[in-house]
């Protein structure tokens, strides 16, 4: 009720514990606080807060336009609504090393469990697009060192993302990943790898947990959890999956209303009123005021989601 019951410190410990090489812990991307509750209810290991989703949600492209204030605020809203640890995409860190240090502290104060910082130039691009511009090794390591030194809670996870694979190849990406670990990264996000063998090579080369980005319509195939676990991956993100699914459903129902004059045919696809109320724990709020949940919600078979509007 109201917020999660676990402290940010406890969630950070949970994230550290989940990040075991070969565990392939699954962290779907929450596009809002409510979807984080759904992710938790379905038994996932953590929640990812995607920079692409955050930007796209504002109607913006994912090119580094969002500010630290916007990202910390939205990620904080998401993090505090779930007992799962939340890992946020901090893009290029929002500036020079001193700004990166502030980014880490703001994200900690917002209740996040960790973040990743990448080695692209601003304006950055989605890691699965061509034409990325990379910063040099010195700048990349400075960002990570500043991040690691700035944290207050030693369990706040600093993950270094390298986008070098698509630009200079796997060997260069592995070299950079090692240097980023030496600079203080607790985990590595090798972006846009091409095969399971490449994941395996990175996992073998670095002695910290490795993340796999299973984003749709990108450069990586959509490998299964078992395949990634066998390659040694510690954590898997599905960053934009829920936003793409929700927006796909929204597009379909809008066309239904426009073309048929009613949404009736789309209702079976919808989350029911009862299910929605269950997710926001409506009933629990009666603890303060018994008048809050004293009405009838059409009782239905929540599991099959099979009712119609007229039930
Ligand atoms: C992981 C990612 O950084 C994100 O912002 O979610 C994106 C995802 C995407 O655009 O599909 C990425 O650069 O891979
Ligand atoms: Mg991103």
């Amino acid at each position: 009720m109201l917020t999660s019951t676990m402290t940010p410190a406890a969630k950070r410990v949970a994230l550290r514990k989940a990040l075991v090489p070969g565990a392939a812990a699954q962290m779907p991307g929450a596009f809002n606080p409510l979807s984080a509750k759904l992710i938790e209810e379905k038994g996932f290991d953590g929640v990812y807060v995607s920079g692409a989703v955050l930007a796209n949600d504002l109607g913006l492209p994912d090119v580094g336009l969002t500010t630290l204030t916007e990202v910390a605020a939205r990620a904080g809203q998401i993090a505090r609504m779930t007992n799962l640890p939340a890992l946020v995409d901090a893009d290029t860190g929002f500036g020079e090393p001193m700004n990166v240090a502030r980014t880490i502290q703001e994200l900690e104060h917002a209740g996040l469990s960790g973040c990743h910082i990448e080695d692209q130039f601003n304006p950055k691009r989605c890691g699965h697009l061509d034409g990325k511009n990379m910063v040099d090794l010195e700048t990349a390591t400075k960002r990570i060192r500043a991040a690691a030194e700035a944290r207050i809670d030693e369990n706040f996870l600093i993950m270094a993302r390298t986008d070098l694979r698509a630009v200079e190849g796997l060997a260069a990406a592995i070299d950079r990943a090692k240097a980023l670990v030496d600079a203080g990264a607790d985990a590595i996000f090798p972006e846009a790898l091409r095969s399971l063998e490449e994941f395996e090579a990175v996992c073998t080369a670095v002695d910290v947990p490795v993340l796999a980005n299973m984003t749709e319509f990108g450069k990586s195939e959509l490998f299964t959890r078992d395949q990634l676990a066998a390659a040694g991956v510690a954590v898997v993100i599905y960053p934009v999956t829920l936003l793409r699914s929700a927006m796909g459903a929204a597009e379909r129902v809008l066309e239904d209303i426009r073309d048929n004059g009613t949404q009736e045919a789309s209702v079976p696809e919808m989350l029911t009123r009862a299910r929605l109320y269950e997710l926001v724990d409506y009933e629990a709020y009666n603890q303060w005021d018994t008048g809050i949940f004293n009405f009838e919600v059409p009782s239905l078979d929540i599991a099959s989601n099979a009712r119609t509007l007229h039930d």
Side-chain angles (χ1 to χ4, degrees), residues 87-160:
L87 174 74
V88 63
D89 179 354
D91 287 343
T92 56
F94 303 102
E96 302 305 315
M98 190 162 59
N99 304 86
V100 174
R102 176 142 197 260
T103 294
I104 298 304
Q105 298 196 351
E106 290 297 312
L107 295 177
E108 276 195 54
H109 288 311
L112 277 299
S113 293
C115 71
H116 61 76
I117 292 173
E118 70 204 35
D119 55 357
Q120 288 196 53
F121 260 119
N122 221 6
K124 49 140 298 151
R125 290 175 183 227
C126 161
H128 290 254
L129 298 181
D130 298 320
K132 291 185 285 187
N133 287 314
M134 309 292 302
V135 296
D136 61 19
L137 179 64
E138 196 194 340
T139 309
T141 50
K142 267 189 187 159
R143 282 181 188 168
I144 296 303
R145 197 166 295 121
E149 283 169 6
R151 81 184 127 192
I152 296 157
D153 181 345
E154 60 180 8
N155 284 321
F156 184 85
L157 190 94
I158 309 287
M159 179 180 280

Side-chain angles (χ1 to χ4, degrees), residues 48 50-52 62 89 126-128 161 191 213 215 237 239-240 244:
Y48 179 69
S50 149
D62 180 23
D89 179 354
C126 161
H128 290 254
R161 162 169 153 178
E191 178 64 309
N213 176 10
T215 195
I237 56 167
V240 196
R244 288 197 232 276

Side-chain angles (χ1 to χ4, degrees), residues 5 22 143 148 177 199 251 271 282 303:
T5 51
R143 282 181 188 168
F199 277 108
E251 185 166 50
L271 201 68
Y282 220 112

